[in-house]
Short mmCIF file of all heavy atoms in Angstrom, two decimals:
data_model
loop_
_atom_site.label_atom_id
_atom_site.label_comp_id
_atom_site.label_asym_id
_atom_site.label_seq_id
_atom_site.Cartn_x
_atom_site.Cartn_y
_atom_site.Cartn_z
N TYR A 88 -8.72 -9.62 13.23
CA TYR A 88 -8.37 -8.78 12.09
C TYR A 88 -6.89 -8.42 12.18
O TYR A 88 -6.28 -8.52 13.25
CB TYR A 88 -9.22 -7.50 12.07
CG TYR A 88 -10.65 -7.74 11.62
CD1 TYR A 88 -11.63 -8.08 12.54
CD2 TYR A 88 -11.00 -7.65 10.28
CE1 TYR A 88 -12.94 -8.31 12.14
CE2 TYR A 88 -12.31 -7.88 9.87
CZ TYR A 88 -13.26 -8.21 10.80
OH TYR A 88 -14.55 -8.44 10.39
N VAL A 89 -6.33 -7.99 11.05
CA VAL A 89 -4.91 -7.66 11.00
C VAL A 89 -4.72 -6.38 10.19
O VAL A 89 -5.38 -6.17 9.16
CB VAL A 89 -4.09 -8.83 10.40
CG1 VAL A 89 -4.51 -9.12 8.97
CG2 VAL A 89 -2.61 -8.55 10.48
N LYS A 90 -3.83 -5.52 10.69
CA LYS A 90 -3.54 -4.25 10.02
C LYS A 90 -2.03 -4.02 10.06
O LYS A 90 -1.37 -4.35 11.05
CB LYS A 90 -4.25 -3.11 10.74
CG LYS A 90 -4.22 -1.76 10.03
CD LYS A 90 -5.14 -0.77 10.72
CE LYS A 90 -5.18 0.58 9.99
NZ LYS A 90 -5.78 0.46 8.65
N VAL A 91 -1.47 -3.45 8.99
CA VAL A 91 -0.04 -3.15 8.91
C VAL A 91 0.19 -1.69 9.28
O VAL A 91 -0.52 -0.79 8.81
CB VAL A 91 0.51 -3.45 7.51
CG1 VAL A 91 1.95 -2.96 7.37
CG2 VAL A 91 0.44 -4.94 7.20
N LEU A 92 1.20 -1.46 10.10
CA LEU A 92 1.63 -0.11 10.48
C LEU A 92 3.13 0.00 10.24
O LEU A 92 3.92 -0.74 10.83
CB LEU A 92 1.31 0.15 11.95
CG LEU A 92 1.87 1.44 12.57
CD1 LEU A 92 1.33 2.67 11.86
CD2 LEU A 92 1.54 1.49 14.07
N ASP A 93 3.53 0.91 9.36
CA ASP A 93 4.96 1.13 9.13
C ASP A 93 5.60 1.76 10.36
O ASP A 93 4.99 2.59 11.04
CB ASP A 93 5.18 2.03 7.91
CG ASP A 93 4.80 1.33 6.62
OD1 ASP A 93 4.60 0.10 6.63
OD2 ASP A 93 4.69 2.02 5.59
N ALA A 94 6.84 1.40 10.63
CA ALA A 94 7.50 1.79 11.89
C ALA A 94 7.76 3.28 12.00
O ALA A 94 7.96 3.79 13.11
CB ALA A 94 8.81 1.02 12.05
N ASP A 95 7.76 4.01 10.89
CA ASP A 95 7.95 5.46 10.96
C ASP A 95 6.62 6.21 11.01
O ASP A 95 6.60 7.44 11.07
CB ASP A 95 8.81 5.97 9.80
CG ASP A 95 8.25 5.59 8.44
OD1 ASP A 95 7.40 4.68 8.37
OD2 ASP A 95 8.66 6.21 7.44
N ASP A 96 5.52 5.48 11.00
CA ASP A 96 4.20 6.07 11.11
C ASP A 96 3.62 5.77 12.49
O ASP A 96 4.26 5.13 13.32
CB ASP A 96 3.28 5.53 10.01
CG ASP A 96 3.77 5.87 8.62
OD1 ASP A 96 4.40 6.94 8.45
OD2 ASP A 96 3.54 5.06 7.69
N TRP A 97 2.38 6.19 12.75
CA TRP A 97 1.78 5.93 14.05
C TRP A 97 0.26 6.00 13.94
O TRP A 97 -0.29 6.46 12.93
CB TRP A 97 2.30 6.92 15.10
CG TRP A 97 1.94 8.35 14.88
CD1 TRP A 97 0.90 9.04 15.45
CD2 TRP A 97 2.62 9.30 14.04
NE1 TRP A 97 0.89 10.34 15.03
CE2 TRP A 97 1.94 10.53 14.17
CE3 TRP A 97 3.75 9.23 13.21
CZ2 TRP A 97 2.34 11.67 13.47
CZ3 TRP A 97 4.14 10.36 12.53
CH2 TRP A 97 3.45 11.57 12.66
N PHE A 98 -0.41 5.51 14.98
CA PHE A 98 -1.86 5.55 15.05
C PHE A 98 -2.32 6.65 15.99
O PHE A 98 -1.60 7.04 16.92
CB PHE A 98 -2.42 4.22 15.57
CG PHE A 98 -2.42 3.10 14.57
CD1 PHE A 98 -2.70 1.81 15.00
CD2 PHE A 98 -2.16 3.31 13.23
CE1 PHE A 98 -2.73 0.76 14.10
CE2 PHE A 98 -2.17 2.27 12.32
CZ PHE A 98 -2.46 0.98 12.77
N ASP A 99 -3.53 7.14 15.78
CA ASP A 99 -4.22 7.96 16.75
C ASP A 99 -4.80 7.00 17.78
O ASP A 99 -5.69 6.21 17.48
CB ASP A 99 -5.32 8.77 16.07
CG ASP A 99 -6.04 9.69 17.04
OD1 ASP A 99 -6.58 9.18 18.04
OD2 ASP A 99 -6.10 10.90 16.79
N THR A 100 -4.31 7.04 19.01
CA THR A 100 -4.65 6.04 20.02
C THR A 100 -6.15 6.02 20.32
O THR A 100 -6.75 4.94 20.41
CB THR A 100 -3.87 6.30 21.32
OG1 THR A 100 -2.48 6.43 21.02
CG2 THR A 100 -4.05 5.15 22.29
N SER A 101 -6.75 7.17 20.45
CA SER A 101 -8.18 7.22 20.77
C SER A 101 -9.03 6.68 19.61
O SER A 101 -10.04 6.01 19.84
CB SER A 101 -8.61 8.65 21.11
OG SER A 101 -8.40 9.52 20.02
N GLU A 102 -8.61 6.95 18.38
CA GLU A 102 -9.33 6.43 17.23
C GLU A 102 -9.14 4.91 17.11
O GLU A 102 -10.05 4.18 16.71
CB GLU A 102 -8.85 7.12 15.95
CG GLU A 102 -9.15 8.60 15.89
CD GLU A 102 -10.64 8.89 15.72
OE1 GLU A 102 -11.14 8.83 14.59
OE2 GLU A 102 -11.30 9.17 16.76
N LEU A 103 -7.96 4.44 17.47
CA LEU A 103 -7.71 2.99 17.49
C LEU A 103 -8.65 2.30 18.49
O LEU A 103 -9.17 1.21 18.21
CB LEU A 103 -6.25 2.73 17.86
CG LEU A 103 -5.85 1.26 18.10
CD1 LEU A 103 -6.10 0.42 16.86
CD2 LEU A 103 -4.39 1.17 18.53
N GLU A 104 -8.87 2.91 19.63
CA GLU A 104 -9.76 2.33 20.61
C GLU A 104 -11.19 2.20 20.08
O GLU A 104 -11.89 1.22 20.35
CB GLU A 104 -9.75 3.17 21.89
CG GLU A 104 -8.44 3.07 22.65
CD GLU A 104 -8.48 3.80 24.00
OE1 GLU A 104 -9.51 4.46 24.27
OE2 GLU A 104 -7.51 3.68 24.77
N LYS A 105 -11.61 3.17 19.28
CA LYS A 105 -12.94 3.10 18.66
C LYS A 105 -13.03 1.90 17.72
O LYS A 105 -14.06 1.20 17.67
CB LYS A 105 -13.24 4.38 17.90
CG LYS A 105 -13.36 5.62 18.77
CD LYS A 105 -13.59 6.86 17.91
CE LYS A 105 -13.63 8.12 18.76
NZ LYS A 105 -13.82 9.35 17.92
N LEU A 106 -11.95 1.66 16.97
CA LEU A 106 -11.93 0.50 16.07
C LEU A 106 -11.96 -0.80 16.87
O LEU A 106 -12.69 -1.75 16.51
CB LEU A 106 -10.69 0.54 15.18
CG LEU A 106 -10.53 -0.63 14.21
CD1 LEU A 106 -11.67 -0.65 13.19
CD2 LEU A 106 -9.18 -0.57 13.49
N LEU A 107 -11.20 -0.86 17.95
CA LEU A 107 -11.18 -2.07 18.78
C LEU A 107 -12.55 -2.37 19.37
O LEU A 107 -12.90 -3.54 19.58
CB LEU A 107 -10.15 -1.91 19.90
CG LEU A 107 -8.68 -1.93 19.49
CD1 LEU A 107 -7.79 -1.56 20.66
CD2 LEU A 107 -8.29 -3.30 18.94
N GLU A 108 -13.35 -1.36 19.61
CA GLU A 108 -14.70 -1.57 20.11
C GLU A 108 -15.61 -2.16 19.03
O GLU A 108 -16.53 -2.92 19.34
CB GLU A 108 -15.29 -0.24 20.60
CG GLU A 108 -14.65 0.29 21.87
CD GLU A 108 -15.21 1.64 22.28
OE1 GLU A 108 -15.93 2.26 21.46
OE2 GLU A 108 -14.93 2.08 23.41
N LYS A 109 -15.34 -1.82 17.76
CA LYS A 109 -16.19 -2.26 16.66
C LYS A 109 -15.85 -3.65 16.14
O LYS A 109 -16.74 -4.39 15.68
CB LYS A 109 -16.09 -1.26 15.51
CG LYS A 109 -16.79 0.06 15.72
CD LYS A 109 -18.31 -0.13 15.65
CE LYS A 109 -19.03 1.21 15.69
NZ LYS A 109 -20.50 1.04 15.62
N LEU A 110 -14.57 -4.03 16.17
CA LEU A 110 -14.14 -5.25 15.50
C LEU A 110 -14.78 -6.53 16.04
O LEU A 110 -15.06 -7.45 15.25
CB LEU A 110 -12.62 -5.36 15.54
CG LEU A 110 -11.87 -4.34 14.68
CD1 LEU A 110 -10.37 -4.57 14.77
CD2 LEU A 110 -12.34 -4.39 13.22
N PRO A 111 -15.02 -6.69 17.34
CA PRO A 111 -15.64 -7.94 17.80
C PRO A 111 -16.99 -8.22 17.16
O PRO A 111 -17.36 -9.39 16.95
CB PRO A 111 -15.77 -7.72 19.31
CG PRO A 111 -14.67 -6.77 19.65
CD PRO A 111 -14.63 -5.82 18.48
N GLU A 112 -17.74 -7.18 16.83
CA GLU A 112 -19.06 -7.37 16.24
C GLU A 112 -19.03 -7.35 14.71
O GLU A 112 -20.04 -7.61 14.06
CB GLU A 112 -20.01 -6.26 16.73
CG GLU A 112 -19.63 -4.88 16.26
CD GLU A 112 -20.44 -3.76 16.88
OE1 GLU A 112 -20.57 -3.76 18.11
OE2 GLU A 112 -20.94 -2.89 16.13
N SER A 113 -17.90 -7.05 14.12
CA SER A 113 -17.78 -6.97 12.66
C SER A 113 -17.72 -8.37 12.06
O SER A 113 -17.07 -9.27 12.60
CB SER A 113 -16.52 -6.18 12.27
OG SER A 113 -16.59 -4.86 12.75
N ASP A 114 -18.39 -8.53 10.92
CA ASP A 114 -18.41 -9.82 10.23
C ASP A 114 -18.21 -9.61 8.74
O ASP A 114 -19.01 -10.01 7.91
CB ASP A 114 -19.74 -10.53 10.51
CG ASP A 114 -19.75 -11.97 9.98
OD1 ASP A 114 -18.66 -12.56 9.87
OD2 ASP A 114 -20.84 -12.48 9.67
N VAL A 115 -17.12 -8.93 8.40
CA VAL A 115 -16.78 -8.62 7.01
C VAL A 115 -15.31 -8.99 6.77
O VAL A 115 -14.54 -9.16 7.71
CB VAL A 115 -17.00 -7.13 6.69
CG1 VAL A 115 -18.47 -6.76 6.80
CG2 VAL A 115 -16.16 -6.25 7.62
N ASP A 116 -14.95 -9.11 5.51
CA ASP A 116 -13.57 -9.43 5.17
C ASP A 116 -12.66 -8.21 5.22
O ASP A 116 -11.46 -8.32 5.47
CB ASP A 116 -13.49 -10.04 3.76
CG ASP A 116 -14.18 -11.38 3.67
OD1 ASP A 116 -14.17 -12.12 4.67
OD2 ASP A 116 -14.75 -11.69 2.60
N LEU A 117 -13.24 -7.04 4.98
CA LEU A 117 -12.45 -5.81 4.87
C LEU A 117 -13.09 -4.68 5.66
O LEU A 117 -14.27 -4.37 5.48
CB LEU A 117 -12.33 -5.39 3.40
CG LEU A 117 -11.72 -4.02 3.10
CD1 LEU A 117 -10.28 -3.93 3.59
CD2 LEU A 117 -11.79 -3.71 1.60
N VAL A 118 -12.31 -4.08 6.55
CA VAL A 118 -12.74 -2.89 7.28
C VAL A 118 -11.92 -1.71 6.76
O VAL A 118 -10.68 -1.77 6.72
CB VAL A 118 -12.53 -3.05 8.79
CG1 VAL A 118 -12.84 -1.74 9.52
CG2 VAL A 118 -13.40 -4.18 9.34
N LEU A 119 -12.60 -0.64 6.37
CA LEU A 119 -11.93 0.56 5.87
C LEU A 119 -12.05 1.68 6.91
O LEU A 119 -13.09 1.85 7.54
CB LEU A 119 -12.58 1.03 4.57
CG LEU A 119 -12.44 0.08 3.37
CD1 LEU A 119 -13.32 0.56 2.22
CD2 LEU A 119 -11.00 -0.02 2.92
N THR A 120 -10.96 2.42 7.08
CA THR A 120 -10.95 3.59 7.96
C THR A 120 -10.21 4.72 7.26
O THR A 120 -9.62 4.52 6.19
CB THR A 120 -10.26 3.27 9.31
OG1 THR A 120 -8.98 2.67 9.06
CG2 THR A 120 -11.11 2.31 10.14
N SER A 121 -10.21 5.89 7.85
CA SER A 121 -9.55 7.06 7.26
C SER A 121 -8.11 7.16 7.74
O SER A 121 -7.69 6.44 8.64
CB SER A 121 -10.32 8.33 7.61
OG SER A 121 -11.65 8.25 7.17
N TYR A 122 -7.36 8.09 7.14
CA TYR A 122 -5.99 8.34 7.60
C TYR A 122 -5.59 9.78 7.33
O TYR A 122 -6.21 10.48 6.53
CB TYR A 122 -5.00 7.38 6.94
CG TYR A 122 -4.71 7.64 5.48
CD1 TYR A 122 -3.54 8.31 5.09
CD2 TYR A 122 -5.56 7.19 4.46
CE1 TYR A 122 -3.25 8.52 3.75
CE2 TYR A 122 -5.27 7.39 3.13
CZ TYR A 122 -4.11 8.07 2.78
OH TYR A 122 -3.83 8.29 1.45
N LYS A 123 -4.55 10.23 8.05
CA LYS A 123 -3.99 11.56 7.88
C LYS A 123 -2.62 11.47 7.23
O LYS A 123 -1.86 10.53 7.50
CB LYS A 123 -3.84 12.28 9.22
CG LYS A 123 -5.12 12.79 9.84
CD LYS A 123 -4.83 13.56 11.12
CE LYS A 123 -6.11 14.10 11.74
NZ LYS A 123 -5.84 14.83 13.00
N ILE A 124 -2.31 12.46 6.41
CA ILE A 124 -0.95 12.63 5.90
C ILE A 124 -0.33 13.78 6.67
O ILE A 124 -0.90 14.87 6.74
CB ILE A 124 -0.95 12.93 4.39
CG1 ILE A 124 -1.67 11.82 3.62
CG2 ILE A 124 0.48 13.10 3.89
CD1 ILE A 124 -1.82 12.11 2.13
N VAL A 125 0.82 13.55 7.27
CA VAL A 125 1.47 14.57 8.10
C VAL A 125 2.92 14.74 7.64
O VAL A 125 3.51 13.83 7.04
CB VAL A 125 1.43 14.19 9.59
CG1 VAL A 125 0.00 14.10 10.08
CG2 VAL A 125 2.16 12.88 9.84
N ASP A 126 3.51 15.90 7.96
CA ASP A 126 4.90 16.14 7.61
C ASP A 126 5.79 15.97 8.83
O ASP A 126 5.32 15.64 9.93
CB ASP A 126 5.09 17.51 6.95
CG ASP A 126 4.77 18.67 7.90
OD1 ASP A 126 4.71 18.45 9.14
OD2 ASP A 126 4.57 19.80 7.41
N ASN A 127 7.08 16.19 8.64
CA ASN A 127 8.05 15.99 9.73
C ASN A 127 7.83 16.92 10.92
O ASN A 127 8.28 16.63 12.03
CB ASN A 127 9.48 16.18 9.20
CG ASN A 127 10.00 14.94 8.51
OD1 ASN A 127 9.91 13.85 9.04
ND2 ASN A 127 10.54 15.11 7.31
N ASN A 128 7.14 18.03 10.70
CA ASN A 128 6.87 18.97 11.77
C ASN A 128 5.54 18.72 12.47
O ASN A 128 5.12 19.49 13.33
CB ASN A 128 6.88 20.40 11.21
CG ASN A 128 8.24 20.80 10.67
OD1 ASN A 128 9.27 20.47 11.27
ND2 ASN A 128 8.25 21.48 9.54
N GLY A 129 4.88 17.63 12.07
CA GLY A 129 3.61 17.28 12.68
C GLY A 129 2.42 18.01 12.10
O GLY A 129 1.30 17.91 12.64
#
Side-chain angles (χ1 to χ4, degrees):
Y88 286 88
V89 62
K90 189 171 183 65
V91 172
L92 171 61
D93 291 348
D95 56 342
D96 298 328
W97 65 97
F98 284 170
D99 182 303
T100 309
S101 61
E102 295 290 278
L103 173 60
E104 290 186 354
K105 294 177 184 179
L106 179 63
L107 289 171
E108 290 177 348
K109 287 288 187 180
L110 291 182
E112 65 188 49
S113 299
D114 188 26
V115 295
D116 295 327
L117 171 62
V118 174
L119 295 171
T120 51
S121 303
Y122 73 100
K123 286 184 179 179
I124 303 175
V125 298
D126 64 17
N127 279 311
N128 296 320

